[in-house]
Amino acid sequence: MTEHQSILVGVDGSAESLHAMEWAAAYARETGCTLHLVSSFMLPGFTGSYSFAHDIPMVDDPYARRYVEDLLVRAHKRVVEVGVPATTEVTTGEATSVLAERSAGRRFVVIGARGAGGFVERLLGTVSANLPVRAQCPTVVVPLHAKDADGDGDATDTRRTRRIVVGVDGSRPSEAAVETAVAQAQAWGAEVAVVRAVTMVGWSHSPWLDTGFRESVMSSARDETDRLRARLATTYPDVVTTTDVVEGHAVDVLVAASQEADLLVVGSRGRGGIRGLVLGSTSQAVLRRSRCPVLVPRR
């Protein structure tokens, strides 16, 4: 099996990373992919007592390695029991670098995140915000919410993907996001909901809004998404596609859409509300607040 049929999964033993692994296992069983489970650790450094200018990293330790090996054994058992082939790897190093280096040629790299606030921080460290920038394949960030955290069920017991939402803004990266969403719809047998956010914030007192400017902007956005839907219907007749134009900030609109979605696809960069989605505050907000897994295509 080639690497592009392999899914890289960051595992650190936390409920967040195990839930992400379950999502990856469900996808693998649906599509015939394999999993490669990776756990990385890097012990704190120490400062020399004399004239050392920097901390000296303690890059390995038999006790830490044994702990990580044990958690990977348990994770591996969990996925192979449901018929998903998997390999494991224990290594040392900073988590984002480890996963980015191993992501070349993969179908996805999958990581977990807390669904109610800050990003998961365990042995693998905080990677959700930085990995999509550096990964050499698409990144999937899977949030964990209270309803997901009971620990029951098998490794593919997560909800199957039936509805995929993709955010668009007319930019080239968002077009790539649409293609990614369609490919995922074909893999899962899902429908695609195209969502366009139109931000009017800061314009509420502008005089031209009284002359129909607002409706003109909304109408233009609807026409654009209608053309996109027609093109997708012609090119991908097997994929059911809907479109929606919503007034509001991109983050709020996409997070609201994620409430009824099984997967949210966003472009890595764009214009307007989606600009800097990976690098800036919009990225942080979407990845923190999404109620479903978020897929970021490779930049």
Side-chain angles (χ1 to χ4, degrees):
M1 179 168 287
T2 59
E3 277 199 338
H4 74 273
Q5 294 175 291
S6 171
I7 300 169
L8 180 66
V9 186
V11 179
D12 64 6
S14 66
E16 293 84 1
S17 73
L18 293 177
H19 185 62
M21 183 188 73
E22 291 170 356
W23 185 93
Y27 182 92
R29 192 163 70 171
E30 189 77 15
T31 61
C33 291
T34 64
L35 302 185
H36 184 58
L37 311 178
V38 176
S39 193
S40 169
F41 66 97
M42 187 169 64
L43 300 180
F46 66 92
T47 301
S49 58
Y50 295 104
S51 59
F52 293 109
H54 304 285
D55 285 355
I56 300 173
M58 298 172 60
V59 295
D60 205 346
D61 179 271
Y63 298 103
R65 178 173 289 274
R66 188 176 308 148
Y67 172 82
V68 175
E69 288 173 347
D70 288 345
L71 72 86
L72 274 183
V73 167
R74 294 192 297 272
H76 181 265
K77 180 180 179 181
R78 191 167 181 173
V79 297
V80 298
E81 283 180 346
V82 294
V84 177
T87 55
T88 63
E89 179 184 0
V90 176
T91 187
T92 58
E94 189 273 325
T96 301
S97 297
V98 166
L99 293 174
E101 289 169 1
R102 287 158 177 75
S103 64
R106 306 287 181 178
R107 180 73 61 89
F108 300 122
V109 54
V110 180
I111 52 177
R114 294 189 190 277
F119 293 108
V120 61
E121 208 171 276
R122 293 290 193 273
L123 289 175
L124 274 173
T126 302
V127 297
S128 303
N130 299 320
L131 185 59
V133 181
R134 299 175 55 185
Q136 302 174 69
C137 69
T139 301
V140 179
V141 179
V142 183
L144 177 69
H145 301 282
K147 64 182 178 61
D148 304 316
D150 57 17
D152 296 329
D154 64 35
T156 60
D157 199 30
T158 52
R159 182 173 62 171
R160 296 186 73 254
T161 297
R162 293 303 186 193
R163 178 178 171 83
I164 299 173
V165 171
V166 56
V168 300
D169 64 359
S171 67
R172 184 173 299 176
S174 77
E175 292 175 1
V178 170
E179 296 299 322
T180 298
V182 169
Q184 292 311 303
Q186 291 174 321
W188 285 102
E191 67 176 32
V192 174
V194 178
V195 177
R196 172 73 181 267
V198 178
T199 303
M200 297 289 183
V201 176
W203 292 3
S204 58
H205 301 295
S206 301
W208 54 77
L209 292 184
D210 296 333
T211 63
F213 178 79
R214 174 185 173 281
E215 183 52 40
S216 175
V217 172
M218 296 293 289
S219 178
S220 177
R222 292 189 193 99
D223 290 344
E224 189 174 315
T225 56
D226 285 345
R227 288 193 296 270
L228 173 60
R229 180 173 57 184
R231 177 174 65 82
L232 293 176
T234 300
T235 308
Y236 307 103
D238 58 323
V239 177
V240 176
T241 304
T242 62
T243 58
D244 193 16
V245 176
V246 182
E247 183 177 337
H249 190 278
V251 172
D252 296 331
V253 169
L254 293 176
V255 169
S258 76
Q259 297 274 359
E260 303 298 328
D262 301 308
L263 182 66
L264 173 61
V265 183
V266 292
S268 58
R269 296 189 64 148
R271 68 173 186 238
I274 301 186
R275 180 178 296 279
L277 186 55
V278 169
L279 300 178
S281 60
T282 303
S283 165
Q284 302 287 337
V286 170
L287 292 176
R288 274 201 310 271
R289 294 170 52 192
S290 176
R291 302 296 300 179
C292 70
V294 179
L295 191 162
V296 183
R298 182 185 177 188
R299 295 178 65 204

